[in-house]
Every structure is written in structure tokens, then in C-alpha cells.
Amino acid sequence: SYNFFSKVISEEGILGITKGVSACFYGSMISGFVYFGMYKWLKERMHKKLDGYLHSSMIYFSASFIAEVITLVMYYPYDLVK
């Protein structure tokens, strides 16, 4: 790792270390918005539809799992290209 840092600093300067920070920041911010928005929406929908059939902890778990899968499907290609 020391060789990596010394090579980057010698070729691109000290700012070369922070080159991909904005792509990571914006990607993480967007995926967070998608996840929490999807989780809230799914949780509310599932409470209306399944309140008498499933315990609320299972509704929260299912909503979280589904929101995470959808977020990963949307975010992973972006993360791979970046």
C-alpha cells in the first residue's frame, strides 16, 4: 500500500488520492435515498396489506430485505463501472 500511495503522489500529486471521492459520495448518497425511500414505502404498504397475517417484526425484516435487494440491483452496476 505504501508503494501505491507513493506512486500516485509522484504521478498525480496529493490530489490524485482523492480523485474518485465524488463518484463514491454521490453513488452512496443516491443508494441511501433509494434504500430508505423504498424501505419506508414497502413498510407502509406491507402494514396495510399484511398487518393481521404477519408479525410487525417480519414485516420490517421483509421490507428491509426487499429494499436492499432492489438497491443492490440498481447500485451494483454503477459501482462496477465507476
Side-chain angles (χ1 to χ4, degrees), residues 7-8 10-11 14 23 25 32 49 55 59 62 66 68 71:
K7 184 176 180 178
V8 169
S10 68
E11 291 179 6
I14 194 74
F25 175 74
K49 299 274 185 183
H55 193 269
I59 291 174
S62 301
I66 293 168
E68 182 70 25
T71 303

Side-chain angles (χ1 to χ4, degrees), residues 41-52 54-57 59-60:
W41 181 78
L42 284 169
K43 186 176 64 170
E44 290 170 357
R45 291 271 296 174
M46 291 174 85
H47 261 296
K48 288 179 185 175
K49 299 274 185 183
L50 304 171
D51 198 21
L54 284 177
H55 193 269
S56 61
S57 62
I59 291 174
Y60 296 148

